[in-house]
Amino acid sequence: MIKLVDLKAEYEEIKEEVNKAITEVIESSRFLNGEKTKSFSAGFAAYCGAKHAVGTSSGTSAISLALNASGIGPGDDVITTPFTFIATVEAIYDAGATPVFVDADKETANIDPKLVERAITKNTKAILPVHLYGRISGMDELMEIAEKHNLSLIEDSAQAHGSDYNGKKSPVLETASYSFYPGKTLGAYGDAGAIVTNNSDVFEKASMLLDHGRRQGEKYTHRELGHNFRMDEIQAAVLGVKLRRLDSWIERRRRHALHYNKVLRADIGKPSEKAIRSQGMYVYVITAKNRDALVAKLKENNVEAVVHYPVPLHLQPALAELGYKKGDLPEAERLASEVLSLPLYPQISEGQIGRVAELVNKHANG
Ligand SMILES: *Cc1c(COP(=O)(O)O)cnc(C)c1O
């Protein structure tokens, strides 16, 4: 069986160090608001070249907190992409706001900046691009639009650890939220996330809201009604060990992705070499006209391939109240019918990649 991601193989590489870090937390019996969370958050801010980071309980809570801490809430509209994981939009609702969808761009699969301006109304307060698969959205154009219309720009970077933009690693332009869900490029051993920001007010406010609306050292003064959205110390300990290896693991992901590019048939839709060299390579995504049949063939041959994502959010039953229908956002709908993620993780072997490619080459209609 070749799995999409093999977390056991990753654990084998860091077993001693990670066991020691977890044991330190248990021995200290400090499970929340401790040194591990503080030092991981500082380390991750530095990794992203940003001023501040604060650990959260998940990527989803990080997005909703980032919105609230930026002053977005009930009555506000947030422009986002329909071609993402449901959590992006759940977080908009959790923050009390309403999503407005703008179609994806054919080339990047991210929100199409050319279509954003016409979706802005007096209720629009923020743009929330998602850097899907680790491809950074068209941030230069989005920043220009956000500035012109006085909107917040909050990045869903849940898939974009270590991706470059304009030659800079993981740049956070204003405020970004990250997920450390176990299967992500940097994953915890449970749920965790982070808000990374260059805005000190957003940092202060998010830090307060995620800990029951209190500031550090003020145990029973609750300045606002907040949440329990804290990162826990065991997750921070695991993440601290993994952060030290993140760049070398991303290098291995890139090497494997380049190998896929070499051994896959020329007519199959695949990422460009330039894209691979600039992304954290969370997933390796191809396109195939007979995608569903291809997934079935791979499964028959013990290869796990996964679709990120088969149904665009504007067509999800849970969001029927928004009133979208089939055909409204055609690029997102086409992408959803053709994309396929192949097994990719630092410890995969060239032999395994060769086996997957052989099956894809035999069964895909490009
Ligand atoms: C994983 C993911 C999230 C949610 O992160 P969790 O840590 O699982 O809450 C949000 N947005 C995108 C694009 C994701 O891939």
Side-chain angles (χ1 to χ4, degrees):
M1 175 80 187
I2 304 177
K3 291 199 277 188
L4 185 76
V5 177
D6 187 346
L7 295 177
K8 186 73 194 326
E10 187 197 73
Y11 175 57
E12 292 300 333
E13 280 188 19
I14 54 171
K15 196 168 190 162
E16 262 175 51
E17 220 179 308
V18 93
N19 287 0
K20 181 167 164 281
I22 291 171
T23 306
E24 277 167 15
V25 175
I26 301 170
E27 291 286 348
S28 79
S29 293
R30 175 104 193 190
F31 296 106
L32 291 164
N33 292 333
E35 282 309 312
K36 297 272 190 208
T37 303
K38 215 183 274 174
S39 76
F40 169 72
S41 300
F44 195 63
Y47 182 86
C48 297
K51 283 195 188 134
H52 310 282
V54 54
T56 63
S57 53
S58 72
T60 310
S61 62
I63 301 169
S64 73
L65 260 177
L67 287 166
N68 282 158
S70 305
I72 290 134
D76 298 336
D77 285 352
V78 176
I79 291 178
T80 194
T81 168
F83 195 47
T84 177
F85 183 54
I86 189 80
T88 309
V89 157
E90 285 173 324
I92 293 172
Y93 279 101
D94 286 347
T98 307
V100 172
F101 291 122
V102 164
D103 204 3
D105 172 76
K106 202 196 224 93
E107 296 303 318
T108 65
N110 287 324
I111 192 167
D112 187 343
K114 292 188 297 300
L115 305 177
V116 169
E117 215 162 4
R118 72 185 73 153
I120 295 173
T121 68
K122 65 178 189 336
N123 294 328
T124 310
K125 290 287 151 48
I127 308 172
L128 205 169
V130 179
H131 305 318
L132 199 72
Y133 311 147
R135 295 175 188 160
I136 303 293
S137 308
M139 294 302 289
D140 286 340
E141 291 136 292
L142 293 175
M143 267 195 305
E144 205 176 293
I145 297 167
E147 218 155 276
K148 182 170 157 197
H149 296 270
N150 197 22
L151 307 174
S152 296
L153 190 55
I154 291 161
E155 300 165 65
D156 181 344
S157 298
Q159 304 189 0
H161 319 70
S163 293
D164 295 8
Y165 189 63
N166 291 344
K168 274 170 84 185
K169 193 173 68 176
S170 296
V172 171
L173 299 153
E174 189 174 306
T175 296
S177 37
Y178 279 84
S179 165
F180 307 120
Y181 175 83
K184 294 277 156 76
T185 314
L186 175 60
Y189 286 178
D191 278 317
I195 296 172
V196 183
T197 182
N198 286 314
N199 182 324
S200 301
D201 294 336
V202 169
F203 171 68
E204 296 294 334
K205 182 134 193 205
S207 303
M208 182 178 78
L209 289 175
L210 69 81
D211 189 25
H212 301 296
R214 60 194 170 190
R215 291 194 183 138
Q216 232 183 2
E218 295 184 341
K219 192 163 183 177
Y220 291 117
T221 304
H222 305 281
R223 292 177 184 268
E224 282 182 49
L225 291 178
H227 309 269
N228 173 0
F229 282 169
R230 294 173 300 236
M231 175 181 277
D232 79 67
E233 285 282 288
I234 290 183
Q235 301 312 331
V238 172
L239 290 165
V241 171
K242 289 196 180 187
L243 181 59
R244 293 197 279 279
R245 287 172 174 77
L246 184 55
D247 279 338
S248 72
W249 280 345
I250 286 174
E251 264 323 298
R252 283 156 76 180
R253 286 176 180 272
R254 287 180 177 154
R255 212 167 59 228
H256 297 320
L258 291 169
H259 191 65
Y260 266 126
N261 268 18
K262 201 170 84 188
V263 293
L264 280 171
R265 243 171 46 207
D267 63 325
I268 289 168
K270 44 195 160 188
S272 70
E273 185 176 330
K274 183 163 170 268
I276 291 171
R277 291 195 192 282
S278 66
Q279 290 168 21
M281 288 318 292
Y282 168 54
V283 282
Y284 181 87
V285 179
I286 62 166
T287 54
K289 295 268 186 270
N290 66 335
R291 195 267 319 277
D292 291 337
L294 179 58
V295 173
K297 275 288 171 206
L298 290 169
K299 191 170 173 202
E300 245 171 62
N301 288 281
N302 290 319
V303 170
E304 183 188 25
V306 169
V307 178
H308 299 104
Y309 296 92
V311 181
L313 297 190
H314 67 289
L315 301 179
Q316 286 290 353
L319 296 172
E321 63 161 43
L322 292 174
Y324 291 93
K325 56 185 190 318
K326 210 169 156 67
D328 283 349
L329 302 165
E331 271 316 316
E333 291 169 30
R334 187 191 57 82
L335 285 159
S337 71
E338 293 184 1
V339 293
L340 182 61
S341 304
L342 302 180
L344 180 75
Y345 49 92
Q347 296 77 15
I348 198 170
S349 69
E350 284 202 352
Q352 288 172 312
I353 290 172
R355 171 89 191 113
V356 175
E358 196 183 302
L359 290 163
V360 173
N361 286 343
K362 186 166 164 202
H363 298 291
N365 296 339

